[in-house]
Amino acid sequence: MKQMNNEIIYPRSEEEVLLILATAKKEGHLLEIVFDEFVKKPFSMPVLWGCRAYFYGLKKEELSAHPVLFTHLALLSAMDGDLSQAKTYVQFMGKTPRLVKMDTYDMMDICRIKTELVMPYISDAMFFRIVSFLIEEELVPVMGLTLSACRPSILNGFRDFTRYGKYLKKSKDRITEAACRLYGGSVGQKVYEIMLAEWYYQNNNCFEALILVTGTIPLIEQEKDMRCLFVALALQMKILLVNGQTKAARPLVEKIRKRIQITGWDELTSSLNAIECLGACYDGRLQDVERWLDDIAPDENKGIFMMDMYAWMVKVRCYIQTGKYMAAYVLTHQLIALLIPGRRYMDLCECYMLSAIIYYKMKNMEGMCEELSKAIALAKRCGYIRLLADTGNCMVQMLAIYQKEYEEDSFISEIKELAYSVGTYFPDYLKSPYEYYEPLTQMEEKVFRLMAQGLSNDDIARQLGKKTGTVKFHSCNIFRKLQVPTRQEAVERGREIGLL
């Protein structure tokens, strides 16, 4: 979004830009139009991602005429999770000037410094050095700095600052002043207050978080800062939701959607759709969950867009809740491989937790304990209390098993108590389809698997070393528990709910 002559100019839609680029390529002046659309005009990150084929088609000698476009290629590589390639593109822009006071800077010096600011491969120490340098040299504001990376969080936004949350109250003035200068205007105060509210929530101080965020929302609305407003409203919704106030939480989705339509912030739509689907997961509305999976959710087979990370996490939950454990496992471990190099500790903690749930649902308790250990270690180190507790009954059940292998401590006890509270409000959250039916015994499961292979009762009896009458008895129990009259319908039901 840019403001010219008091008129706010919003980015074009992906469909518009793709049509413009296709026409330009046909007419033989693609490079000039790419420069015009992505340098001279505002654009959203999802639109850049959607147009990546046109950038990848540009030759190095063409790019030398407009080296600023290497910034966009670096961003695309970072969004694709290829940090090595992102670094290579940044290096094409020349050598990074030393972070010391200089008399003059050319456009490429500034462009390279600001590009490195948003690169996941730089360390936190380097990030803070660059921020200090830009402020001292008055090379601010940095207009392209995405606070939330299209997700409903600032602390865990374009960089993962959650582990610094405990310093927020100590360094209020420094953080606020730096944010105001870095982003321009009075946005710094709002950014600080939302970050603090997020940290309060993560540490289970929900009431303080709610007071802070609801007090900030009217000020953000006045300034029409959609990025901050989206995070604030989403946090307000989450707090109400996990405290059982779903009726008050649901209208906030439509409120956010209307704001997005008015302001043109289409890049937030993916996360908003995911928030709405997460609400359906908590309520156990499987039809809405399946509809989101089939029609709206991002497709990992087309590549992992890192700025859709929130939606990917929700998609794993949806896979679990619909019994698609193998798909959930594959997606989770695709994400883990991309998150480790980028030091995304909160996202990693969430992925390890989701991986533990997958193992638990597949009755692999050894794998569950191993993954849950990783999640708990990160959560304890960084203070991610609600991240684990908001899993509800599933976390309570896993911790009951985990505590038999590992010694209980106060941190685990706190998570278990909070998770129990969430579970009382949402008993169907993360409940797989087969869990709505009476569970089969181990022997019934063996009979059922052989039944699904088309074996007769006599064949099953011979294979299991049992009497045919015993097999018939177990078969009747299977039909009763799955609420069907025949073996064919039992097999269909078993496949439908992920039992087979």
Side-chain angles (χ1 to χ4, degrees):
M1 179 178 70
K2 289 185 180 179
Q3 190 164 350
M4 300 176 68
N5 300 323
N6 294 323
E7 180 185 355
I8 296 175
I9 300 175
Y10 295 105
R12 295 187 200 269
S13 69
E14 184 177 329
E15 292 75 15
E16 288 177 303
V17 178
L18 283 170
L19 181 60
I20 290 168
L21 295 183
T23 304
K25 185 176 181 180
K26 191 182 292 185
E27 294 174 354
H29 51 90
L30 178 63
L31 180 64
E32 291 77 7
I33 298 301
V34 166
F35 183 82
D36 189 53
E37 290 296 323
F38 289 95
V39 178
K40 294 183 178 180
K41 296 176 183 174
F43 65 91
S44 71
M45 291 301 171
V47 170
L48 176 63
W49 178 254
C51 297
R52 62 193 181 280
Y54 288 100
F55 278 87
Y56 295 152
L58 296 173
K59 296 176 182 176
K60 191 176 177 182
E61 52 270 24
E62 291 180 299
L63 290 165
S64 61
H66 299 299
V68 70
L69 293 176
F70 282 120
T71 295
H72 301 73
L73 285 162
L75 285 170
L76 284 168
S77 295
M79 288 188 285
D80 197 23
D82 190 345
L83 301 188
S84 176
Q85 185 60 56
K87 193 170 187 178
T88 299
Y89 281 129
V90 172
Q91 289 170 345
F92 283 146
M93 298 165 67
K95 189 176 180 181
T96 302
R98 292 179 63 201
L99 298 183
V100 295
K101 192 169 183 65
M102 294 171 62
D103 295 330
T104 59
Y105 301 95
D106 63 27
M107 186 189 78
M108 290 312 300
D109 287 337
I110 297 170
C111 189
R112 161 125 190 191
I113 292 169
K114 290 186 176 181
T115 301
E116 290 225 297
L117 182 67
V118 299
M119 287 294 109
Y121 62 76
I122 69 166
S123 65
D124 289 340
M126 178 56 75
F127 170 82
F128 292 124
R129 281 183 62 198
I130 293 174
V131 168
S132 299
F133 172 76
L134 290 172
I135 291 172
E136 286 172 10
E137 294 295 290
E138 297 185 354
L139 299 173
V140 289
V142 183
M143 302 306 295
L145 187 54
T146 302
L147 291 173
S148 63
C150 307
R151 67 171 70 192
S153 177
I154 292 177
L155 266 179
N156 185 27
F158 90 102
R159 288 186 78 83
D160 183 355
F161 292 118
T162 49
R163 59 196 178 281
Y164 299 112
K166 58 187 176 183
Y167 300 111
L168 280 171
K169 290 186 75 173
K170 294 180 186 177
S171 307
K172 176 182 177 180
D173 293 338
R174 289 177 62 190
I175 294 170
T176 303
E177 181 187 358
C180 284
R181 297 180 68 181
L182 192 62
Y183 301 118
S186 61
V187 70
Q189 181 68 34
K190 294 175 295 183
V191 168
Y192 171 79
E193 289 179 356
I194 296 172
M195 290 170 75
L196 186 58
E198 288 185 287
W199 183 247
Y200 278 153
Y201 171 73
Q202 199 52 240
N203 282 268
N204 195 38
N205 196 339
C206 292
F207 189 63
E208 287 293 332
L210 192 62
I211 291 172
L212 200 55
V213 79
T214 51
T216 306
I217 286 170
L219 300 174
I220 303 173
E221 286 185 311
Q222 286 176 15
E223 297 191 22
K224 299 180 180 178
D225 188 332
M226 192 58 220
R227 294 176 304 178
C228 290
L229 182 61
F230 173 60
V231 175
L233 288 171
L235 180 58
Q236 183 184 12
M237 177 188 165
K238 185 68 179 290
I239 294 168
L240 292 171
L241 182 69
V242 298
N243 284 281
Q245 299 176 46
T246 51
K247 287 185 178 179
R250 281 182 192 170
L252 288 172
V253 171
E254 285 311 307
K255 184 176 181 179
I256 300 169
R257 199 177 297 281
K258 286 177 183 176
R259 295 291 193 282
I260 289 173
Q261 289 169 350
I262 293 168
T263 58
W265 279 96
D266 290 337
E267 63 188 283
L268 302 175
T269 302
S270 176
S271 286
L272 179 60
N273 290 335
I275 288 171
E276 190 170 29
C277 182
L278 184 61
C281 287
Y282 272 103
D283 288 341
R285 290 182 274 124
L286 281 182
Q287 284 188 331
D288 291 340
V289 170
E290 288 171 344
R291 190 179 303 117
W292 183 80
L293 272 177
D294 293 340
D295 302 332
I296 302 172
D299 183 358
E300 60 268 33
N301 296 309
K302 295 180 180 178
I304 300 290
F305 178 39
M306 294 292 283
M307 295 188 82
D308 269 345
M309 188 55 65
Y310 182 79
W312 295 126
M313 298 292 191
V314 172
K315 190 169 189 180
V316 173
R317 287 171 168 80
C318 292
Y319 277 151
I320 292 170
Q321 204 146 345
T322 54
K324 300 178 177 70
Y325 303 134
M326 296 307 290
Y329 180 88
V330 170
L331 178 54
T332 302
H333 287 266
Q334 277 182 287
L335 298 177
I336 289 171
L338 294 170
L339 292 169
I340 290 173
R343 305 179 186 91
R344 306 288 315 186
Y345 298 114
M346 191 173 193
D347 291 333
L348 271 172
C349 182
E350 189 168 352
C351 278
Y352 290 139
M353 176 192 75
L354 292 170
S355 183
I357 294 171
I358 295 163
Y359 277 117
Y360 173 70
K361 297 289 186 181
M362 296 178 74
K363 301 182 180 177
N364 182 338
M365 299 309 153
E366 184 180 347
M368 183 272 287
C369 287
E370 187 177 334
E371 295 297 281
L372 193 55
S373 287
K374 296 176 189 175
I376 289 171
L378 270 174
K380 189 182 290 188
R381 193 175 87 196
C382 302
Y384 307 145
I385 297 172
R386 295 287 337 189
L387 180 66
L388 301 188
D390 288 348
T391 309
N393 286 335
C394 195
M395 181 58 65
V396 175
Q397 293 157 8
M398 290 196 300
L399 286 177
I401 297 166
Y402 180 83
Q403 287 170 340
K404 293 177 182 177
E405 297 292 326
Y406 299 86
E407 194 172 319
E408 184 174 352
D409 59 23
S410 58
F411 182 78
I412 292 176
S413 297
E414 183 179 6
I415 290 172
K416 193 174 179 182
E417 184 179 341
L418 284 172
Y420 180 80
S421 175
V422 173
T424 59
Y425 293 127
F426 305 104
D428 293 333
Y429 179 50
L430 293 178
K431 185 185 281 189
S432 300
Y434 73 82
E435 292 178 88
Y436 288 89
Y437 298 87
E438 188 180 344
L440 304 184
T441 65
Q442 285 188 345
M443 182 53 68
E444 287 165 356
E445 284 182 2
K446 290 178 182 178
V447 170
F448 193 29
R449 290 194 190 99
L450 293 172
M451 184 191 295
Q453 295 173 26
L455 273 65
S456 67
N457 287 338
D458 290 337
D459 291 335
I460 294 171
R462 276 193 294 272
Q463 190 150 333
L464 295 178
K466 303 289 182 181
K467 294 180 179 179
T468 301
T470 302
V471 172
K472 287 180 179 178
F473 172 76
H474 289 309
S475 297
C476 287
N477 280 339
I478 292 167
F479 299 157
R480 177 181 58 79
K481 289 179 177 181
L482 296 181
Q483 302 168 26
V484 292
T486 67
R487 63 162 48 205
Q488 183 180 343
E489 288 176 272
V491 170
E492 288 174 0
R493 176 67 50 83
R495 291 201 172 110
E496 178 185 300
I497 64 177
L499 197 56
L500 289 171

